[in-house]
Structures are given as structure tokens and as C-alpha cells.
Amino acid sequence: MSQPLTRRAADPVAELALTGDLARPARLTVSDLLAWPQHRARVSFECATSGVQHHGFTGPLLHDVLSAAGPAFDPARRKDRLRFLIAVTGADGHHALLSWAEIDPDFGRAAVLLAVSIDDNPLDRAGPQLVLPQDRCGARHISGINAVRVDGGYTSWT
Ligand SMILES: Nc1nc2c(c(=O)[nH]1)N[C@H]1C(S)=C(S)[C@@H](COP(=O)(O)O)O[C@H]1N2
Ligand SMILES: [Mo]
């Protein structure tokens, strides 16, 4: 028998909306995120309520995915990137802001991932997870990401 066409409705796949000051905004599933080079990270973080956790994640670098979407800065001008923020939101409303410079190879160089798997379990249904190997606390490891917004709106200084 052929695969039922209703599979997607019965087994929903999470999507994340990539929006903001981007030339190519996009809606991305976990399977779309496999198109970028995949990285592995073993991380430990402390949760204020549940203690220390250890996990292994795989996924693309957040910087690679956002760069492909064409952020509205001149890539040749390092100072132009410093006003950009990245807002990451989970389906439950938990969210955090990162600065572009935090993940930029010329500045903070944090190897932040948009994880497609946790401990070898795929995240297609739950949605991708933010992984910040440098964080001691787990609060920014946002799970079930459904929106990432890039905001370069702080132009009033110039
Ligand atoms: N979407 C979402 N992600 C989240 C949270 C949350 O409330 N919502 N809590 C954070 C916190 S405080 C921690 S410590 C880590 C691990 O939390 P967990 O043990 O509940 O998975 O997930 C983080 N990611
Ligand atoms: Mo936590």
C-alpha cells in the first residue's frame, strides 16, 4: 500500500517562522534544518528547579541558518552587525534575546545550535531547540522554537 497522504495531519511537524529584517524570511521544519552542515554538542547546564542536566544535541549553527536568510546588514562592515538582535520564541511563549554579535565569528563566536535532535531523538514534532554550549544555566535552551526574529531596528543612533 502507498503511504497515506494524511500522514502529515496525523503526525504534525513543527515549523519555525524566520522573520524580521531579512531578505529571505522562511518557514523551516526540522527536516529543512538538515540542509546546513550539522554540528554536535554535548552540554551540561543547571536548572534552578531540576538541577544539573546533560544532553547531546545535533543541528546547524544558528549563525549559518540566519546568514542564509539574508540579514539586512552589509556583511563586509563589521560595525553594521552590532545593532542586530535575535529574538527566539518557544511555542509556550518562553523567549530570549541574543545579540547578533554573540554568535558572529568576528565577535562572541558562540557555537549556538538550532538542534534537530536531543539525545538521538529527532525533534521534528516538538520543534527545534536552542542550544548554548557556553551557558551555565539552562534557561536559554529554548525548546519547541516556533519563531526566530532578526531585528536591526536600532538605526536611530546614526
Ligand atoms: N519553550 C521552553 N523552553 C525552555 C523552558 C521553558 O519554560 N519553555 N525552560 C528553560 C529552562 S528554565 C531550562 S533549565 C531548560 C531545561 O528545562 P527542562 O528540564 O524543563 O527541559 O529548558 C529551558 N527551555
Ligand atoms: Mo531552568
Side-chain angles (χ1 to χ4, degrees):
M1 260 172 60
S2 60
Q3 284 286 317
L5 293 172
T6 52
R7 184 176 183 278
R8 197 181 163 105
D11 186 11
V13 168
E15 274 193 342
L16 90 79
L18 204 55
T19 63
D21 298 321
L22 300 168
R24 292 172 293 281
R27 295 192 69 86
L28 298 172
T29 64
V30 158
S31 103
D32 293 331
L33 293 172
L34 297 172
W36 283 273
Q38 300 294 296
H39 297 253
R40 275 176 191 282
R42 288 209 61 83
V43 304
S44 302
F45 56 77
E46 186 190 337
C47 174
T49 51
S50 60
V52 177
Q53 297 186 29
H54 307 275
H55 294 292
F57 293 97
T58 64
L61 292 170
L62 177 63
H63 186 264
D64 285 349
V65 175
L66 296 184
S67 296
F73 51 63
D74 178 349
R77 292 184 61 233
R78 294 178 183 171
K79 285 162 80 175
D80 203 21
R81 300 176 223 152
L82 301 182
R83 63 193 159 82
F84 277 71
L85 296 177
I86 303 162
V88 182
T89 309
D92 62 351
H94 181 51
H95 60 189
L97 293 175
L98 285 72
S99 68
W100 184 276
E102 189 172 355
I103 62 166
D104 190 305
D106 287 327
F107 298 100
R109 298 185 294 180
V112 175
L113 301 185
L114 271 178
V116 298
S117 77
I118 176 169
D119 302 331
D120 298 321
N121 299 308
L123 289 169
D124 296 78
R125 296 189 64 181
Q129 181 163 340
L130 197 66
V131 174
L132 300 100
Q134 77 280 18
D135 278 20
R136 193 194 67 76
C137 167
R140 293 203 295 178
H141 280 77
I142 299 176
S143 56
I145 297 173
N146 67 359
V148 177
R149 185 172 185 87
V150 174
D151 187 344
Y154 299 93
T155 49
S156 57
W157 298 345
T158 56

